[in-house]
Amino acid sequence: MNAEDVIECRVLTGFHCLPFAQYTTPHTNRRCEHEAGMTMIGASIGGRPVGLAVFSCQNDSEKASLESIFVHPDARRRGIGRGLLKAVHSTLVDMGAAEVGGTWFHDAPSAGLVERLLADSGWSDPVSTAMVHHCGRRILAHVDQNNRAARLPAGFAFDSWANLSSDERARVDELRETQEIPFGLHPNGESTLPVSPKTTTVLRHEGDIVGWMIHHELTPEMLRYSSLWLRPDLVGGGLGISVAIESARRHLALADQIPRLFFMVMEDNHAMHRFIARRLQPGLDRSSILMDSSKALIPASSDEK
Ligand SMILES: CC(C)(COP(=O)(O)OP(=O)(O)OC[C@H]1O[C@@H](n2cnc3c(N)ncnc32)[C@H](O)[C@@H]1OP(=O)(O)O)[C@@H](O)C(=O)NCCC(=O)NCCS
């Protein structure tokens, strides 16, 4: 075997990450720079970067997440993907993780390749976990035209995230504990993407913040509608939908600058799936199923593949 055939997979740090950055998205590169627990593993042949796997492993979690895996098209079917996964597995075992999972869209061009690679490396059969809807101005106009202006009960008012004072932002932080808001529904659940200040809408009651629809800026042209939250005692009266509609109207006003959006609905949120089918379907451009697979991490040499 000559040097040109030797595949080397290693954890990357500092400037060693740079030649491999081309093998994942700008968003994942940003996360690697700014977010704790992100690790890049680079694959090289004869010193030439040919592939990259990125995983996230938080200190307080036994389950790690494979964020991205990519091998240069000219270097495929030579065991590099398998080698990257082996390196991911062994690095995670050393870090104390018990399981690794990963997600991808069923209709992504690479879905079949990733599925075959994961199956080859002993990951579980993929299951669908959520639906991700991609849309644009059409859905914003549809929502605007098909809903009357909200008539909020006395004492309630909408406001824009941009108008929150720093004291109020601190109170939003406190709400996570006092209201036991799941991390994913709280603005702090996202550490790298900025909140869209003008379209993100909060609901106030007598001045207090009691709900929100948070939008994050994925790119300058695309928002992720990340979380709709309402204080639990207010759920069920239609206020949540009103906040979502109001945020869509505020987004419509800026649709020339920010024309795209997407949002995710978990598989078991049947009420939301029914709502989307009845009320939003005509405005959707593309709906992708988010697939999920995982693998228990077994220390030492019993983890053959
Ligand atoms: C998926 C991917 C990483 C696989 O990398 P690879 O280096 O070609 O994979 P390997 O050579 O290690 O293949 C290992 C096994 O996976 C399976 N496999 C991989 N590619 C396959 C293919 N095209 N057809 C069938 N099986 C395949 C096979 O079981 C293979 O073993 P074998 O070659 O002994 O039969 C690569 O195809 C890729 O980068 N695709 C694009 C992924 C992408 O877009 N990622 C970005 C979003 S996360």
Side-chain angles (χ1 to χ4, degrees), residues 165-176:
S165 66
S166 50
D167 280 359
E168 286 182 310
R169 302 255 170 110
R171 279 209 288 286
V172 167
D173 285 349
E174 287 163 17
L175 281 177
R176 192 162 94 78

Side-chain angles (χ1 to χ4, degrees), residues 69-71 76-79 81-82 110 113 116-117 120:
I69 184 160
F70 189 88
V71 171
R76 289 184 188 165
R77 291 315 286 273
R78 292 166 67 180
R82 185 186 292 145
S110 58
L113 294 174
R116 287 195 281 273
L117 173 68
D120 174 82

Side-chain angles (χ1 to χ4, degrees), residues 23-25 50-52 66-73 75-84 103-104 108-121 305:
Y23 294 135
T24 191
T25 60
V50 289
L52 175 72
L66 180 67
E67 300 292 332
S68 140
I69 184 160
F70 189 88
V71 171
H72 190 287
R76 289 184 188 165
R77 291 315 286 273
R78 292 166 67 180
I80 297 166
R82 185 186 292 145
L84 279 169
T103 58
W104 64 93
S110 58
L113 294 174
V114 170
E115 275 172 29
R116 287 195 281 273
L117 173 68
L118 296 180
D120 174 82
S121 294
K305 284 216 153 176

Side-chain angles (χ1 to χ4, degrees), residues 7-11 39-43 51-55 64 66 68-71 78-95 97 100 117-123 295-305:
I7 300 168
E8 192 199 8
C9 295
R10 64 188 169 92
V11 172
T39 302
M40 285 179 148
I41 296 187
L52 175 72
V54 181
F55 68 79
L66 180 67
S68 140
I69 184 160
F70 189 88
V71 171
R78 292 166 67 180
I80 297 166
R82 185 186 292 145
L84 279 169
L85 279 184
K86 263 179 105 165
V88 167
H89 295 170
S90 61
T91 309
L92 282 170
V93 166
D94 291 348
M95 291 167 85
V100 59
L117 173 68
L118 296 180
D120 174 82
S121 294
W123 287 49
K295 182 178 180 174
L297 296 169
I298 303 156
S301 57
S302 53
D303 189 23
E304 278 306 318
K305 284 216 153 176

Side-chain angles (χ1 to χ4, degrees), residues 117-133:
L117 173 68
L118 296 180
D120 174 82
S121 294
W123 287 49
S124 61
D125 288 342
V127 291
S128 57
T129 54
M131 192 68 106
V132 177
H133 301 286

Side-chain angles (χ1 to χ4, degrees), residues 7 96 109 160 176-177 220 232 241:
I7 300 168
S160 157
R176 192 162 94 78
E177 290 209 351
I241 292 295

